[in-house]
Amino acid sequence: MKIAIVGTGYVGLITGTCFANAGNDVTCLDIDPNKVKTLRKGKAPFFEPGLSEMMTKSINAGRLHFTDDPETAYWDASIIFICVGTPTGEDGRCNLSHVMGVADSISDSLDSFDVPPTVVVKSTVPVGTTHKVAQRLKGKYSIANCPEFLREGNAIDDFMNPDRVVCGVEDDRAKQNLEKVYAPFISDGHPIFFFDIHSSEMVKYASNAMLACKISFINEIASLCERNGANIERVRAGMCADSRIGNQFFKPGIGYGGSCFPKDTLAVMEMGDDANAPCLVNTAVHNLNQRQRKWFADRILKHFDNNLSGKKITLWGLAFKPNTDDVRDAPSIDIAKTLIEAGAQVSGFDPEACGTFHDEVPEVEIFKDMYEAANQSDALVICTEWAEFSSPNFDRLKSLLNEPVVFDGRNLYKRNEMANRGFNYYSVGRPTVELAIAK
Ligand code: UGA
């Protein structure tokens, strides 16, 4: 199938690369000519495990192309996927200008098609947007919505093995085209749903809002545990054994970040306000998430009696989650800024996100080695649960720190073991004083 992908961010580039890997002829369009040049060399503009290798394979096989020219991208395509960003605008609303700009550019080229392409909105958009795109398409077209559920850091596997594919369609051509293009990815029996377009748009927001809700919920319970001498890890284990609750997206920590959950919970709140049906749960989820990172930063300040002048604090983990170099809305940014404002000198290490983090908070001194970053620090703060932080050389770490204090925002270590090693160890939702029950 000949496919055009508009936008080479996370969703666009992964979608294009995976469709090309399945044997389709894919052209990805991006307005940035420099980015296009880099992409043609098989280099992804962000870190995502396995992506560059898969791009290179399909580029070499002649199935994956990159261009900055819309006509070249759209020419003869059976399906055009709109995958451009929908950032939160200054007014707090989802900014649809990129999506609508793409709709106009597709509209300009529609006359050149004998058989009109299916235009698929894959960007995360408020309910009703796909129809607004359709209104911009003059001439013959077929329209669909097809939200994406991949996670950064796990993107290729998520795309290749989706739990489900959701499509909003109104015409047979759109249904047939989507069935055909997704067939290789659902051959193991996972469902492909064909819904009305509004329901499809809503599935995406509702799914992200639900996952964000689970995270804020468990963080709220963690806070209660701490105040009542309970241990959130035990409480969580006891809850998750109930199959109705499940164990995913239920880890306590310093809250969710990234380009999706924070933006999408806000967008759901906006939708509620617009419909005069305020979304009370989503509002609480958002507020709790903001509170969680502030609470964690305050805990560090409190340990030092709110005076960090002359103190050096080290952050391990700067990305909003492991296996990505993305720092958008990462808790590490807010925590670093709070510590700097309180007078601390802050150093940091991340396996992949040093560069992106430096662009956001240049005051933080970045190190290429996690131990060097901690040298002569007054405390270590863990913001992201990268695998390399789970079993560090604790003796070395202790000898490097001025004071053996660890603030663990991801509950990576056992409290008893940390106490036995001589660390003053703070975590999330676990009492600092060990109770009688053995680990
Ligand atoms: C999220 C969704 O999981 C994807 O399904 C969706 O496609 C994507 O948004 C999107 O809308 O594009 P992503 O933002 O890449 O994916 O990352 P997640 O793995 O969902 O993590 C989001 C945040 O939640 C991270 O900051 C992570 O640290 C945090 N988190 C996750 C927790 O604090 N606790 C958990 O138990 C799980």
Side-chain angles (χ1 to χ4, degrees):
M1 234 177 164
K2 192 159 185 307
I3 300 172
I5 306 279
V6 191
T8 58
Y10 259 97
V11 170
L13 189 54
I14 305 285
T15 303
T17 304
C18 290
F19 280 151
N21 190 60
N24 296 292
D25 182 356
V26 179
T27 304
C28 298
L29 169 66
D30 201 288
I31 48 167
D32 179 348
N34 288 328
K35 195 173 176 191
V36 167
K37 271 188 207 154
T38 312
L39 290 165
R40 281 180 180 152
K41 292 179 194 152
K43 288 189 189 152
F46 46 80
F47 172 74
E48 180 63 39
L51 178 58
S52 285
E53 293 82 345
M54 194 183 262
M55 283 169 67
T56 305
K57 193 176 129 205
S58 288
I59 291 168
N60 291 342
R63 295 190 298 260
L64 181 60
H65 320 273
F66 296 94
T67 181
D68 58 1
D69 175 38
E71 301 246 324
T72 306
Y74 303 149
W75 184 78
D76 211 19
S78 300
I79 306 198
I80 303 173
F81 285 91
I82 301 179
C83 301
V84 292
T86 52
T88 305
E90 280 178 14
D91 56 358
R93 288 174 173 275
C94 187
N95 179 345
L96 295 174
S97 59
H98 300 302
V99 173
M100 292 308 159
V102 173
D104 289 340
S105 91
I106 295 172
S107 185
D108 291 343
S109 73
L110 279 179
D111 283 344
S112 65
F113 284 87
D114 293 332
V115 181
T118 298
V119 177
V120 184
V121 177
K122 205 174 227 328
S123 306
T124 300
V125 291
V127 174
T129 306
T130 304
H131 283 136
K132 285 186 189 152
V133 167
Q135 281 163 12
R136 301 252 183 157
L137 301 177
K138 296 175 214 90
K140 287 187 188 156
Y141 64 87
S142 122
I143 188 83
N145 176 264
C146 179
E148 184 49 58
F149 301 101
L150 61 81
R151 288 163 296 174
E152 291 183 23
N154 214 44
I156 302 261
D157 192 47
D158 281 350
F159 194 93
M160 304 292 268
N161 304 291
D163 285 341
R164 78 305 205 184
V165 176
V166 174
C167 308
V169 293
E170 292 181 338
D171 59 84
D172 288 343
R173 185 167 161 72
K175 183 167 184 277
Q176 283 157 13
N177 276 338
L178 284 164
E179 254 168 357
K180 197 168 162 193
V181 80
Y182 272 107
F185 304 97
I186 52 164
S187 54
D188 59 357
H190 287 292
I192 180 164
F193 295 113
F194 289 98
F195 297 150
D196 63 280
I197 284 177
H198 283 192
S199 299
S200 168
E201 289 170 330
M202 188 61 99
V203 170
K204 169 70 188 187
Y205 276 122
S207 300
N208 273 1
M210 179 70 221
L211 294 170
C213 181
K214 289 186 82 177
I215 297 167
S216 278
F217 178 86
I218 200 69
N219 284 334
E220 185 171 62
I221 298 295
S223 164
L224 272 186
C225 284
E226 231 174 274
R227 284 167 176 76
N228 289 286
N231 180 329
I232 188 63
E233 297 302 341
R234 293 169 191 159
V235 172
R236 178 177 176 266
M239 290 175 71
C240 292
D242 185 330
S243 58
R244 293 171 303 173
I245 295 173
N247 63 4
Q248 293 200 45
F249 281 73
F250 217 46
K251 287 201 201 95
I254 47 177
Y256 57 78
S259 65
C260 305
F261 288 178
K263 171 172 82 73
D264 293 351
T265 40
L266 284 175
V268 170
M269 286 154 64
E270 288 295 338
M271 267 194 275
D273 290 346
D274 287 352
N276 202 19
C279 292
L280 305 182
V281 173
N282 276 280
T283 305
V285 166
H286 169 77
N287 291 340
L288 275 162
N289 195 54
Q290 297 304 108
R291 185 179 85 174
Q292 194 68 3
R293 45 181 84 179
K294 183 176 181 319
W295 159 79
F296 192 68
D298 285 348
R299 156 168 281 188
I300 303 168
L301 293 180
K302 198 171 161 203
H303 174 87
F304 292 101
D305 294 327
N306 291 318
N307 183 4
L308 289 182
S309 70
K311 299 288 180 194
K312 180 181 164 191
I313 313 277
T314 298
L315 306 188
W316 275 4
L318 306 170
F320 83 96
K321 60 181 262 186
N323 297 321
T324 180
D325 60 359
D326 196 341
V327 298
R328 283 176 288 178
D329 220 333
S332 60
I333 293 179
D334 286 348
I335 291 167
K337 285 183 176 170
T338 306
L339 300 177
I340 291 165
E341 265 169 39
Q345 181 199 339
V346 180
S347 63
F349 167 79
D350 189 282
E352 294 295 336
C354 287
T356 44
F357 187 84
H358 178 75
D359 294 342
E360 293 296 322
V361 197
E363 300 90 339
V364 172
E365 190 182 2
I366 299 292
F367 287 83
K368 287 190 177 148
D369 178 273
M370 60 197 243
Y371 295 104
E372 272 178 39
N375 193 20
Q376 295 197 321
S377 261
D378 296 286
L380 173 68
V381 179
I382 296 173
C383 293
T384 319
E385 67 276 31
W386 283 93
E388 43 266 80
F389 303 150
S390 32
S391 289
N393 182 333
F394 286 106
D395 291 338
R396 185 172 172 202
L397 178 63
K398 196 169 163 216
S399 71
L400 291 171
L401 292 171
N402 291 337
E403 202 191 322
V405 191
V406 175
F407 295 91
D408 180 358
R410 300 291 175 181
N411 286 1
L412 293 186
Y413 312 129
K414 292 203 161 112
R415 290 171 307 147
N416 285 354
E417 290 178 11
M418 292 303 277
N420 291 341
R421 289 185 181 111
F423 283 95
N424 195 352
Y425 179 60
Y426 295 87
S427 57
V428 181
R430 299 186 291 179
T432 37
V433 180
E434 182 59 68
L435 299 180
I437 306 165
K439 285 246 168 190

